[in-house]
Amino acid sequence: MSAYNPYDNVVSTVRSAAGKLGLEESEYIELLYPERELKVAVPVRMDDGTVKVFEGYRVQHSTLRGPGKGGIRFHQHTDENEVKALAAWMTFKCAVVGIPYGGTKGGVTVDPTKLSRGEVERLTRRFTAAIAPIIGPEQDIPAPDVNTTGENMGWLADTYSALKGSWSPGVTTGKPQEIGGSLGRPEATGRGVMIATREILKKLNLPVEKQRVVVQGMGNVGSISAKLIHELGAKIIAVSDVSEGLYKEDGLDIPDILKFLSTRGNLLKDYQKDGVKHISNQEMLVLDTDVLVPAALSNQINKDNADKIKAKIIVEGANGPTTVEADEILNKKGVVVVPDILANAGGVTVSYFEWVQNLQFFYWEEEEINSRLNVIMCKAFESVYDIHKEKNVSLRESAYILALKKLAAVKKIRGVFP
Ligand code: NAD
C-alpha cells in the first residue's frame, strides 16, 4: 500500500481548478513544483550530555507573488511531503486573500513534548542556523505552527539576528509583542475562522444562535475559534485535543475550559465537570452537529469517516484536514466546506501586518488590525463565494480558481527566466 502523500492532493486540486479556469498547462505548470527544498540535519545536545540528530525541512513552494511565508512545525509525523504540501497551500492562501507573499513551510520531525524547554530552545536555534541561508525578511519569513509558539519565534529571530550581525525582527512573525510581535496576531487565525463561519452562515441564512458547533484541536487555532464562535452566540457542543474530546449536548462552558487549558501542560482528559462527557476524537468528528471546525492536524477527515460526518458545514481551521477522497464524498452529501486556504488565512494576514510594522518600525492599534483583518477576510470570502455561484463548483475549487487566476496573471507578466 502506498503511503498517503498530501502533496498529491495539491497537484490534483490545482490541475482540476486550472481545468475549470481554462488555463493551458504552461500557464501554471511551475506551481506543481516547489521552487526550492532544503533538508537539514539538526544536532542537539540533550540535557543528559548525549547528542541527538533530528531531521528538518524548509520548502519554498513559490515566490511568484512576493517573499515566501509559512510556519514551522515540530511534530513526530512531519516529513518532506507534508511540508511540501503545507508550503504550496501557503502560496494559494496568500493569493486568495491578496497579500503580497509566496508560500513556504518548515518542519522538524520531533515530538517536542518529550524534550525539556532547554532542548527545545537548542533545537529551534540550531534549525534556524541550518535554514538561515535561505530565510530573511525579504526572502522567506517563518511563523509559529503546530507545537511552536511566539517563544520559538523569539529564539528564531535572536539566532538569525546574531548570525547576521544586526537585529532583524522582520525575519519572523508571531513573535512576542515585546520584540515586535503584532497586537492581534495570537488570535488572528481563530478570528479569521470565526469570520469565515459567520459569513457562511449569513450566506446560507442560518441564524448563528441556533448553530451547534464542534471544534477539533484546542491549540492556538482551535481555542480562539471556539472562544470567538461561542461569543458570536453559537453553542459549542464538543471540543478536543490530542488527549480526548469533551461533549455536552446543550453547550460547553468555553471560558471555563480555556481557563483550565491555560495552565501549562493541562489536557482535556483531565477536565471534570458535571454533565460533560469524555469522548474520543473519532467519535467527536462524527457527532450530530451543524458546524464542524477541524483545527488540529491534516488528514483528519478521510475516506474512512467522511461518509459518517453529520455536520452540514465544515470550516477548515487546520491545513489540509480533508483528503481529496473525503472531499468528493462530502460534496456528494451536500456538505458545505469552507476550505483551509480561505478559512484559516487570518493568521497569515495579520502576520503580513506584523511584517509591515517591523519593516516600518511603526506599530498599529489592535482595533485597526482587527478591522483590516475583517475587511480582507470578508472581501476574499465574497470573491470565492461569487465564483462558487457563477461556476457551480465547490468553495474549495472556487478558492483555488481565484488564487490560480492571480498567480497565472503574475506569471504571464514576469515570464520564464532566462
Ligand atoms: P497547536 O500546536 O497550537 O495546536 C494543535 C492542537 O491540536 C492541540 O490542541 C493538540 O492537542 C491537538 N491535536 C494534536 N493531535 C491531535 C489529534 N490527533 N487529534 C485531535 N487533536 C489533536 O497548533 P495550531 O497552531 O493551533 O495549528 C493547528 C492547525 O491549524 C494546523 O493544521 C496548522 O497548520 C493550522 N494553522 C495554524 C495557524 C497559526 O497561526 N497557528 C495558521 C493557519 C493554519
Side-chain angles (χ1 to χ4, degrees), residues 163-283:
L163 293 171
K164 189 169 164 271
S166 61
W167 176 231
S168 185
V171 67
T172 173
T173 58
K175 299 177 291 291
Q177 250 178 61
E178 294 83 347
I179 58 167
S182 179
L183 293 169
R185 175 60 185 91
E187 299 81 27
T189 309
R191 182 172 295 280
V193 170
M194 176 276 284
I195 295 169
T197 308
R198 186 189 71 201
E199 295 305 303
I200 191 67
L201 291 175
K202 267 195 227 160
K203 290 288 181 201
L204 302 176
N205 284 321
L206 295 168
V208 69
E209 323 72 61
K210 297 228 166 96
Q211 305 310 305
R212 293 161 305 160
V213 181
V214 167
V215 180
Q216 186 200 34
M218 280 298 265
N220 174 279
V221 182
S223 65
I224 305 293
S225 301
K227 174 176 183 275
L228 297 179
I229 296 172
H230 172 77
E231 282 171 15
L232 268 188
K235 208 191 296 173
I236 313 282
I237 60 165
V239 296
S240 72
D241 66 10
V242 67
S243 70
E244 223 170 49
L246 303 178
Y247 172 57
K248 190 163 185 253
E249 206 179 333
D250 58 357
L252 293 163
D253 183 346
I254 294 299
D256 190 57
I257 293 171
L258 294 177
K259 205 165 128 212
F260 171 80
L261 287 177
S262 65
T263 311
R264 213 179 170 106
N266 267 0
L267 288 169
L268 289 177
K269 71 176 170 37
D270 301 320
Y271 180 87
Q272 299 297 339
K273 272 278 143 80
D274 284 350
V276 174
K277 286 190 198 143
H278 287 247
I279 57 172
S280 73
N281 260 291
Q282 283 313 315
E283 286 172 300

Side-chain angles (χ1 to χ4, degrees), residues 130-158:
I131 63 170
I134 65 162
I135 61 169
E138 289 177 356
Q139 207 175 346
D140 180 1
I141 306 129
D145 193 70
V146 174
N147 290 331
T148 56
T149 63
E151 187 172 51
N152 302 82
M153 295 307 115
W155 293 325
L156 186 151
D158 185 70

Side-chain angles (χ1 to χ4, degrees), residues 65-68 94 98-102 352 355-356:
R65 297 183 60 260
C94 292
I99 56 175
Y101 282 142
Y352 165 58
W355 177 74
V356 167

Side-chain angles (χ1 to χ4, degrees), residues 13-14 17 21 31 65 88-103 192 196 316 319 338-346 348-349 352 373-387 394-408 410:
T13 315
V14 173
L21 199 54
L31 292 166
R65 297 183 60 260
W89 287 325
M90 289 306 294
T91 302
F92 295 99
K93 190 183 300 181
C94 292
V96 165
V97 282
I99 56 175
Y101 282 142
E316 295 184 334
N319 285 309
V338 185
D340 46 7
I341 60 168
L342 170 62
N344 71 33
V348 74
T349 302
Y352 165 58
L373 171 64
N374 191 47
V375 170
I376 289 180
M377 286 296 299
C378 290
K379 192 172 158 206
F381 189 95
E382 284 300 319
S383 306
V384 170
Y385 205 81
D386 285 351
I387 297 172
S394 70
L395 289 171
R396 190 183 315 280
E397 275 205 302
S398 308
Y400 275 89
I401 288 171
L402 175 67
L404 262 181
K405 209 170 165 178
K406 293 185 189 178
L407 286 153
V410 173

